[in-house]
Amino acid sequence: MMKVVVSKEIEQVCPGFVGACVEASVENTPYCEGLWKEIEALGEKYKSELTTESLKELSGIAATRRVYKACGKDPSRYRPASEALIRRMLQGKALYQIDTLVDLINLASIRFGYSIGGFDASKFIGDTLTLGIGRAGEPYEGIGRGMINIEGLPVYRDEKGGVGTPTSDNERTKIDIHTRKLLVLINGYDGNEQQVCANAEFIIGLLQRYCNSTDGQYFIYR
């Protein structure tokens, strides 16, 4: 299994951080009708319960925004992905449909409010991921975004460099239709281990239903 290390610089800005790493063998597909019914149902629920302002108060989102500020990043300019996805729903815009694995991870992020990184585990360099803070001038190609400025963003790095931030994951390790080994990182900046575990178990259940996964497992790191 991949090792995940939380750096001292993250401990300083978020001493209560707790994360979960989910690993599973999977089968990806271009589209899954059952999954999209779940996504659409959750979107309708949120439209009746949340606004674009009140969603910032959800525990996982509020905590991620606080960490962005502590690291020196404006969370309204570089929105955590979970916030951006829910905002899109509340504005009546359709979520982007990518493929079953990516759509599934988006549902899990929306459901719990945590920023979640999803990766093709076969594309990592080395056996350790380290959570740190982005540096000035550090090269980082966000998925569908081109080169982005990750200075002051929490970032996971493998031996080669950055692979994931709460705003955007990296093109180099992205999921595609051929992905067979999935790794998911759940970022609990609110320190709520119970909710982080529930999110991990929710993802494993989705993978069983929609991606023919039978070996999903997770571990907690902090």
Side-chain angles (χ1 to χ4, degrees):
M1 295 181 75
M2 184 66 69
K3 292 182 285 189
V4 186
V5 177
V6 178
S7 69
K8 295 292 184 185
E9 55 188 355
I10 289 292
E11 289 179 1
Q12 289 173 355
V13 297
C14 187
F17 174 85
V18 58
C21 178
V22 179
E23 293 183 277
S25 300
V26 294
E27 293 178 14
N28 201 3
T29 53
Y31 175 80
C32 177
E33 182 178 359
L35 175 64
W36 273 92
K37 285 181 178 177
E38 290 197 41
I39 293 170
E40 289 160 4
L42 185 57
E44 291 303 311
K45 179 175 183 289
Y46 278 173
K47 286 177 188 176
S48 69
E49 296 177 352
L50 296 173
T51 67
T52 53
E53 285 302 310
S54 68
L55 78 90
K56 297 176 185 177
E57 299 167 10
L58 295 175
S59 177
I61 291 173
T64 306
R65 289 176 65 89
R66 286 195 299 273
V67 168
Y68 271 37
K69 290 177 182 177
C71 294
K73 210 69 167 176
D74 179 357
S76 294
R77 184 177 178 192
Y78 294 85
R79 294 189 193 279
S82 52
E83 179 184 348
L85 289 167
I86 298 173
R87 275 179 64 88
R88 191 170 179 85
M89 284 180 152
L90 297 179
Q91 292 168 343
K93 300 175 183 176
L95 295 190
Y96 299 108
Q97 190 270 312
I98 308 298
D99 58 46
T100 299
L101 284 175
V102 174
D103 300 341
L104 181 154
I105 290 164
N106 285 342
L107 170 58
S109 181
I110 293 162
R111 169 67 177 78
F112 286 85
Y114 292 126
S115 288
I116 299 175
F119 309 92
D120 186 321
S122 70
K123 297 178 181 179
F124 289 128
I125 306 299
D127 64 357
T128 302
L129 297 172
T130 302
L131 176 59
I133 298 175
R135 298 181 288 264
E138 184 171 358
Y140 190 93
E141 185 178 1
I143 297 174
R145 292 169 174 254
M147 300 305 290
I148 63 174
N149 173 17
I150 65 165
E151 181 182 3
L153 283 179
V155 58
Y156 287 94
R157 300 181 181 96
D158 65 4
E159 285 186 11
K160 186 173 181 178
V163 296
T165 75
T167 291
S168 176
D169 291 331
N170 196 297
E171 281 280 353
R172 175 168 63 88
T173 49
K174 74 177 182 181
I175 293 164
D176 60 37
I177 200 66
H178 304 293
T179 296
R180 294 294 177 265
K181 292 291 184 181
L182 177 71
L183 185 140
V184 179
L185 299 173
I186 302 167
N187 296 284
Y189 290 103
D190 63 353
N192 188 332
E193 183 172 342
Q194 184 176 358
Q195 278 293 91
V196 169
C197 289
N199 199 343
E201 290 162 6
F202 180 72
I203 289 171
I204 289 171
L206 292 176
L207 293 172
Q208 290 170 345
R209 290 201 296 280
Y210 300 125
C211 299
N212 290 328
S213 179
T214 59
D215 63 352
Q217 56 184 321
Y218 73 95
F219 62 86
I220 292 294
Y221 59 94
R222 50 169 55 85

